[in-house]
Amino acid sequence: DGGITQSPKYLFRKEGQNVTLSCEQNLNHDAMYWYRQDPGQGLRLIYYSQIVNDFQKGDIAEGYSVSREKKESFPLTVTSAQKNPTAFYLCATRTAANYGYTFGSGTRLTVV
Amino acid sequence: AQSVTQLDSQVPVFEEAPVELRCNYSSSVSVYLFWYVQYPNQGLQLLLKYLSGSTLVKGINGFEAEFNKSQTSFHLRKPSVHISDTAEYFCAVISSGNTPLVFGKGTRLSVIA
């Protein structure tokens, strides 16, 4: 089945540690996105990539980094510079046709 | 920059009653509009979308929405809700081209038995 795999589903880290969230897709979609979700805040865009080896900052990129070395993969690193990293993180892909977005099932990160 | 306003953060409604979830977007020359549903600890599932054509759009699970360009609105409706419709609903907009999807803050729909 085609889809998006986000792993792990739950992640716990100590304050000050970097952590990398995985997002893998087999949909052959060019564009990939990372959103952060907080209660009452909706989804806010962190980074996105429209082609391999290229990515752009979203609205809340500070404290995060990404890479796009392969079409299938778009990992997100939450660095120690991110002041409040505890949140639900969603990865999405987009097909060029009809602007359809497909979402992964998310990773809930808790920093203690 | 494009923005989306969902006018109600929470909407309680009795089972089998009708419901409307309101969404307004900032004006743009052309926009594409979406409604997504999210169940707890899950990703987002597309309910319906407006790209062009008829302003009344029908989606999954009996939902529909109407695009109103003059009022820059895209309200979601269902004539009779079920307990299983309890979830968070997000309105989203994309301008033409490759700009990313912009979301509203969500409306939590609670269906009461």
Side-chain angles (χ1 to χ4, degrees):
Chain A
D1 287 338
I4 301 172
T5 301
Q6 288 191 244
S7 60
K9 190 171 179 65
Y10 297 96
L11 190 55
F12 295 87
R13 279 295 181 268
K14 291 183 178 180
E15 195 170 336
Q17 288 183 335
N18 291 358
V19 61
T20 297
L21 281 60
S22 172
C23 178
E24 302 281 332
Q25 57 115 348
N26 59 7
L27 299 168
N28 200 34
H29 289 175
D30 287 317
M32 297 187 74
Y33 305 82
W34 275 105
Y35 287 89
R36 170 179 170 144
Q37 184 178 12
D38 298 280
Q41 295 293 318
L43 279 74
R44 293 180 290 168
L45 182 66
I46 306 172
Y47 269 98
Y48 65 104
S49 167
Q50 304 208 40
I51 55 172
V52 174
N53 293 323
D54 187 43
F55 47 83
Q56 289 78 40
K57 292 182 178 180
D59 300 319
I60 57 165
E62 185 176 350
Y64 299 97
S65 66
V66 294
S67 63
R68 186 84 187 277
E69 297 176 1
K70 301 185 301 181
K71 188 175 185 178
E72 300 79 17
S73 178
F74 191 40
L76 173 74
T77 297
V78 184
T79 75
S80 57
Q82 168 52 232
K83 299 299 181 193
N84 185 18
T86 294
F88 190 53
Y89 292 86
L90 284 161
C91 177
T93 67
R94 191 189 91 168
T95 174
N98 71 36
Y99 300 95
Y101 276 56
T102 302
F103 283 84
S105 57
T107 292
R108 185 166 297 280
L109 173 64
T110 302
V111 174
V112 296
Chain B
Q2 194 63 256
S3 67
V4 178
T5 301
Q6 292 186 241
L7 296 155
D8 305 295
S9 59
Q10 297 186 58
V11 173
V13 63
F14 286 104
E15 194 174 17
E16 297 183 7
V19 69
E20 178 180 82
L21 306 184
R22 297 180 293 167
C23 172
N24 286 90
Y25 62 93
S26 57
S27 182
S28 180
V29 175
S30 62
V31 291
Y32 305 102
L33 294 153
F34 305 81
W35 275 99
Y36 286 87
V37 61
Q38 184 183 35
Y39 300 100
N41 290 313
Q42 294 187 27
L44 273 66
Q45 180 183 5
L46 180 66
L47 274 178
L48 49 79
K49 62 188 175 191
Y50 171 80
L51 302 181
S52 65
S54 173
T55 57
L56 183 63
V57 180
K58 293 189 183 298
I60 62 171
N61 300 342
F63 284 94
E64 64 180 31
E66 186 159 16
F67 171 58
N68 188 318
K69 188 174 183 178
S70 63
Q71 296 186 5
T72 61
S73 68
F74 190 55
H75 300 334
L76 181 71
R77 301 184 183 101
K78 186 170 183 177
S80 175
V81 295
H82 303 291
I83 294 290
S84 60
D85 293 323
T86 294
E88 186 139 24
Y89 292 79
F90 292 96
C91 182
V93 63
I94 190 168
S95 302
S96 58
N98 289 324
T99 56
L101 203 55
V102 174
F103 286 87
K105 293 188 175 183
T107 297
R108 182 169 300 279
L109 175 64
S110 298
V111 180
I112 305 160

